[in-house]
Amino acid sequence: MPKAWEQQGELLWESEILIEPVHLQPGHFVSRLDRPWIGTPFSLEGVMISDQRQLDWLRQHCDWLVIDLLRSENRFRPPRGRLNERSAHGHWDGYLEDEQAPINVLRQASLDRDTVGDSVQCHDLLYRQATYLIDAMSRSGQIDLAQARIGINQMAETLEHNLAAMVWLTRIKNADQYTAEHCVNVAILAMGLAHALEWKREQVELAGFAGMLHDLGKMQLDKQILNKPGRLSSEEYEHIKKHAQFGFAMLQHDPQIDPRVALAVLEHHERPDGSGYPNGRDRGALQPLSALISVVDAYDAITSQRPYSAPRSHHEALGILWKERGRQFDTNMVESLIQFLGWITPGTLVRLSSDEFAVVLCASHQHRLWPVVRVLAVARQGYRAARRLDLAEHNQHHSDQPLRVAEVLADGALEIDLQKILRQEGDAAETGGGIQS
């Protein structure tokens, strides 16, 4: 089995070598960069160098990179590089960051019977509360937030312990339940990101409330326009844009609502470049909570089935956010969300290089390309969970037949009960067969 060694605080395997780009050759497999893969010309994390254009791009944009000789066609071992001062202290030093850093909290999370059970219960409670708020708003235009406060407080109390299971549950999407699920998902992801950013407990709860309430103003919109499958006319789009003001109007005078939450509901479609709505405020005028809700709202919407748009994969969503950073979304919030969620999240559906489908259980900090997965088998209706597979362990023992994630699928791409698999993983952990990140 390959041995591990340390290079300036980074854990690498002996098959992996940190080098300067000038030493990169065709046939080398690049497994890590000094920057996020989102925003590079490469579609997945990891690339086999096959042409001069790839070499030129990496040499022009990177100070260092890591090659994996186990996966390389060219086994030439270049001299090991050293990190310069700029790359060692840059904002995007995530690959060299301590695994225990708060922003990596999701990779530290674990699943067991208690965390799964608590998370499913909390998720069900949040969903019931979101449905109640939506129904009440649709019927009377009035909302009672007392029950929603219970769910948010309950989640905040156990957030770090239950984070892996809660994020898994956000990957379960039902097109006919989009509005309620979207509110719940944004609340969960907003609280998770706020926690990873080391916001105070009160601020984490505010992030949850803002996530839960951010789209309630849509209940006052014309349903035919809101659910229109085709392209909106300019008049229809202007009508849709009013939901932020409608939501704010409901909340601004409610003594139960912190003013920062009401402001986030108003501002979650504002843009750093000043081109957003309803007031065209720029980055300097937006509060951090508004910027956080904006990014998380967009991520969950992009990965969901909507009347006018098919769901995109986790990778595609992060790529869109990365491309629009500094214009449509706050740059620091985009980078923080990408670092928090990582290349892959618990509950993500993938296709392996063996053409088998699998559900990701957890990502490895050392081998982000090689997560632990549950392979799926064809069942009478859809798919069922089959064998558990640690890709890193498999590849260390079977270097002649390596496996990797070939494609990250959109949520709902396969007919499978993700909550059932989550419960199975929690039960398996009690007998030593579950997962520990």
Side-chain angles (χ1 to χ4, degrees), residues 16 29-33 37 43-48 66-68 71 95 107 315 342-344 350-353 360 362-373 390-393 395 402-408:
E16 293 184 309
F29 185 89
V30 179
S31 60
R32 294 186 244 181
L33 304 177
W37 289 90
S43 58
L44 289 177
E45 183 174 323
V47 60
M48 184 76 73
V66 175
I67 63 171
D68 187 343
R71 302 180 64 188
Y95 292 112
R107 285 185 284 279
H315 279 182
W343 179 68
I344 211 155
V350 298
R351 180 178 61 82
L352 302 178
S353 55
V360 173
C362 66
S364 165
H365 188 78
Q366 292 81 18
H367 289 282
R368 300 182 184 217
L369 286 168
W370 299 341
V372 180
V373 302
D390 184 330
L391 294 184
E393 182 177 331
N395 291 339
L403 287 175
R404 62 180 177 84
V405 173
E407 182 184 5
V408 177

Side-chain angles (χ1 to χ4, degrees), residues 19-25 28 55 59 67 76 78-81:
I19 68 170
E20 296 174 2
V22 67
H23 298 300
L24 185 65
Q25 295 185 4
H28 280 151
L55 281 172
R59 288 170 179 170
I67 63 171
F76 170 71
R80 291 188 175 118

Side-chain angles (χ1 to χ4, degrees), residues 118 122 149-162 191 195 201 204-205:
D118 290 346
C122 183
R149 191 178 301 276
I150 294 174
I152 296 296
N153 290 344
Q154 178 179 319
M155 181 179 167
E157 289 177 3
T158 61
L159 180 64
E160 184 170 358
H161 184 56
N162 295 342
M191 294 179 76
H195 175 72
R201 164 70 181 272
V204 172
E205 292 189 14

Side-chain angles (χ1 to χ4, degrees), residues 171 173 311 349 357 383 408-416 418:
R171 306 239 70 97
K173 308 288 176 67
L349 298 172
F357 294 116
Y383 293 83
V408 177
L409 306 179
D411 296 334
L414 302 177
E415 192 173 335
I416 187 168
L418 280 177

Side-chain angles (χ1 to χ4, degrees), residues 215-251:
D215 264 353
L216 283 184
K218 287 184 176 179
M219 297 305 101
Q220 294 188 5
L221 299 178
D222 184 314
K223 297 300 184 292
Q224 288 188 326
I225 298 177
L226 182 63
N227 298 318
K228 181 179 177 179
R231 186 179 181 86
L232 297 177
S233 68
S234 58
E235 293 80 9
E236 290 169 335
Y237 182 55
E238 289 300 317
H239 177 71
I240 292 293
K241 286 163 64 174
K242 293 179 181 179
H243 78 275
Q245 293 165 300
F246 289 160
F248 178 70
M250 283 190 295
L251 303 174

Side-chain angles (χ1 to χ4, degrees), residues 30-49 53-54 56-65 92 95 315-316 318-325 338 343:
V30 179
S31 60
R32 294 186 244 181
L33 304 177
D34 64 352
R35 64 197 59 243
W37 289 90
I38 303 298
T40 73
F42 312 110
S43 58
L44 289 177
E45 183 174 323
V47 60
M48 184 76 73
I49 301 303
R53 289 178 302 174
Q54 295 172 322
D56 291 343
W57 193 94
L58 292 168
R59 288 170 179 170
Q60 180 181 352
H61 293 86
C62 299
D63 290 320
W64 60 264
L65 47 83
W92 260 104
Y95 292 112
H315 279 182
E316 290 178 291
L318 294 186
I320 292 170
L321 295 177
W322 178 260
K323 182 179 179 181
E324 292 300 321
R325 72 197 190 285
I338 292 173
W343 179 68

